[in-house]
Amino acid sequence: MHELSLAESILQLIEEAAVEQQFTQVKTVWLEVGQLACVEQESLRFFFAVVTEDSIARQAKLEIIDIAGQAKCGQCHRVMMIATYHQACPQCGSYALHVTQGDGMRIKELEVE
Amino acid sequence: MCTTCGCGVGQTRINGQSMPSRHRSNTRLHYRPSQSAHDPAHEQVSAPVTADHATDTLHFGTGIAGTHAPGMSQSRIVKIERDILAKNNQYAAENRRYFAQHGIFALNLVSSPGSGKTTVLVKTIEMLRDRFPIAVIEGDQQTDHDAARIRATGVPALQINTGKGCHLDAHMIGQALQQMSILDNSLLFIENVGNLVCPSGFDLGEAHKVVILSATEGEDKPLKYPDMFHAADLMLLNKCDLLPHLTFDVDLAIDYAHRIHPGLPVLQISATLGSGMQAWIDWISAGCHRAAAASQLPQHIDSTLG
């Protein structure tokens, strides 16, 4: 349910950018969402549509770019792709993995007019 | 308000008083609604009165291509490259700076509802109130029952009601800090909303998140709710006095927690009986001493905590 807060944060960042960069309408929002980030994409889409109603981003298209999870094994230092936090290293079986990519969410860019 | 689950904004209350919203900036935004070519109902939408007509200049070089071609859209790409949680993280950094300057050791207690967070807190306060000044921020959707339980111990407590919200955020904590007068070198407990999902992503500026799992829950909670166990720096396994009556496998629970967060320290306690609490008290005391010592070294304020 925190997707509502995330959607509001997205709109807030967009509105700040609108003031700085002088645009009046957002057509597309590109979001990078890590596979390990604590966010449910369908829920985020739903809340994005709700919070952007009557805003500068009304009816904007939300394009989500999936960022794969990546980790480095603390034991054997192998770098691997992971889909969940509880995966073991395929090489040595260790669970001591350090996530190096795919646990964040950010707005990459906007198509604006 | 969301029509599906009823969650919404503007219902956050601190000690019963409504909190100013941070979601609307003071700057007036000029915008015009999107015009849909496929939906005749939207074609006639007139621009709001705030629409910006101030400039009479037509600029054809601002499109995606940086130039103009007849018939092409004038949209352009704006690079943002900002973390969605950047705003929360800014507030969290301000809180963290405040804590560091005042030698305050802040802990964010997170768990599912019913794990015994408040009971752990009450017991902890009883054991520590003669050694450190203590303050508590309580987070719940509704009621100030928990704050009342804390105040009964003689420690000041401020209740944040999140309304329909499912977690505390750093801005709420910043507002709460303004209303409290926390003594220097205090121990501050922030009891988050009982929820193993949402609070994991929201940094409040605390030194550590402490996750509480109780023996009456499933051993596989760490696997089911990995984000929280990944974010926490300490796990308390509560209600261990009930283990003889339960089928809860302690080793399995710890093993699962370590799959998510290798090396996560785990303390087995019973807040009701007080067993195992000493190790927790020692862990807190060490943190309080570190925070107090770090606040004496201004040049190291930000790096020595944690």
Side-chain angles (χ1 to χ4, degrees):
Chain A
M1 219 158 83
H2 65 294
E3 281 79 2
L4 174 65
S5 310
L6 298 179
E8 284 176 336
S9 301
I10 293 169
L11 179 59
Q12 210 179 357
L13 291 175
I14 290 172
E15 289 181 342
E16 282 177 13
V19 172
E20 283 167 22
Q21 312 236 17
Q22 304 283 309
F23 54 83
T24 54
Q25 189 189 322
V26 178
K27 297 172 78 177
T28 314
V29 180
W30 280 273
L31 280 189
E32 288 183 341
V33 177
Q35 219 176 345
L36 302 169
C38 187
V39 59
E40 180 52 45
Q41 291 193 11
E42 281 318 303
S43 171
L44 184 61
R45 284 183 190 281
F46 174 81
F47 284 123
F48 180 77
V50 172
V51 303
T52 55
E53 184 81 12
D54 297 324
S55 83
I56 191 165
R58 179 168 175 259
Q59 293 180 2
K61 204 156 54 157
L62 186 61
E63 297 277 1
I64 296 183
I65 304 162
D66 288 304
I67 304 294
Q70 194 187 64
K72 187 176 179 184
C73 178
Q75 205 81 250
C76 71
H77 307 297
R78 181 184 161 137
V79 175
M80 74 210 79
M81 309 310 278
I82 56 168
T84 61
Y85 279 122
H86 62 268
Q87 263 175 256
C89 171
Q91 189 161 287
C92 71
S94 166
Y95 286 102
L97 306 184
H98 304 289
V99 175
T100 50
Q101 174 193 294
D103 56 351
M105 288 165 278
R106 58 174 205 155
I107 305 184
K108 190 170 189 292
E109 54 194 18
L110 307 173
E111 182 187 10
V112 302
E113 271 185 5
Chain B
M1 193 175 82
C2 154
T3 50
T4 300
C5 68
C7 61
V9 293
Q11 300 185 33
T12 306
R13 294 185 165 266
I14 296 180
N15 273 358
Q17 301 294 311
S18 65
M19 198 181 91
S21 168
R22 70 199 173 287
H23 295 292
R24 291 281 160 248
S25 58
N26 294 327
T27 319
R28 194 139 188 215
L29 279 172
H30 301 288
Y31 71 86
R32 59 198 162 91
S34 177
Q35 310 250 331
S36 167
H38 307 291
D39 186 354
H42 286 116
E43 282 182 353
Q44 300 307 317
V45 174
S46 57
V49 287
T50 54
D52 188 358
H53 298 301
T55 169
D56 291 319
T57 309
L58 284 175
H59 188 14
F60 291 108
T62 56
I64 293 175
T67 180
H68 176 252
M72 273 189 71
S73 151
Q74 275 307 297
S75 61
R76 61 189 165 116
I77 298 291
V78 175
K79 291 268 179 208
I80 302 283
E81 312 267 355
R82 282 190 73 186
D83 196 294
I84 292 174
L85 289 168
K87 218 64 226 173
N88 182 71
N89 293 344
Q90 265 172 26
Y91 287 119
E94 283 169 26
N95 296 345
R96 188 163 281 120
R97 207 172 305 123
Y98 178 84
F99 295 146
Q101 281 164 0
H102 295 274
I104 296 168
F105 184 57
L107 294 176
N108 179 0
L109 303 185
V110 289
S111 81
S112 41
S115 66
K117 273 195 305 297
T118 312
T119 308
V120 169
L121 206 45
V122 167
K123 189 76 186 176
T124 307
I125 289 168
E126 286 170 1
M127 295 175 77
L128 277 174
R129 64 183 161 199
D130 297 331
R131 293 172 59 184
F132 305 104
I134 302 177
V136 176
I137 296 173
E138 280 288 340
D140 282 299
Q141 285 199 317
Q142 303 288 344
T143 84
D144 63 349
H145 292 179
D146 281 0
R149 281 175 70 185
I150 300 298
R151 286 179 196 128
T153 67
V155 159
L158 185 136
Q159 179 77 50
I160 299 178
N161 287 133
T162 57
K164 303 290 183 186
C166 46
H167 59 271
L168 295 175
D169 64 40
H171 181 257
M172 294 176 192
I173 299 302
Q175 296 281 311
L177 292 175
Q178 285 178 19
Q179 293 193 23
M180 301 174 85
S181 40
I182 302 177
L183 298 173
D184 282 4
N185 304 327
S186 278
L187 168 60
L188 173 66
F189 291 107
I190 302 167
E191 185 181 337
N192 219 311
V193 178
N195 177 347
L196 266 182
V197 184
C198 310
S200 69
F202 293 82
D203 184 6
L204 305 180
E206 74 275 349
H208 302 285
K209 282 191 179 73
V210 177
V211 63
I212 301 170
L213 179 66
S214 62
T216 50
E217 302 171 61
E219 298 97 340
D220 54 357
K221 277 266 171 88
L223 297 184
K224 288 177 170 170
Y225 303 98
D227 295 280
M228 191 61 90
F229 290 84
H230 189 75
D233 295 321
L234 177 72
M235 171 172 141
L236 297 180
L237 183 57
N238 191 26
K239 306 190 188 178
C240 283
D241 53 312
L242 297 177
L243 283 172
H245 312 287
L246 304 168
T247 55
F248 189 89
D249 184 336
V250 172
D251 292 337
L252 188 61
I254 295 174
D255 180 50
Y256 284 155
H258 284 166
R259 287 192 193 183
I260 302 301
H261 189 150
L264 177 69
V266 179
L267 300 176
Q268 298 179 41
I269 62 166
S270 161
T272 317
L273 298 187
S275 54
M277 290 291 284
Q278 194 53 50
W280 161 234
I281 296 297
D282 292 345
W283 186 89
I284 295 172
S285 303
C288 285
H289 291 308
R290 267 203 315 277
S295 70
Q296 303 303 315
L297 305 166
Q299 68 272 33
H300 297 308
I301 265 175
D302 286 323
S303 56
T304 42
L305 279 181

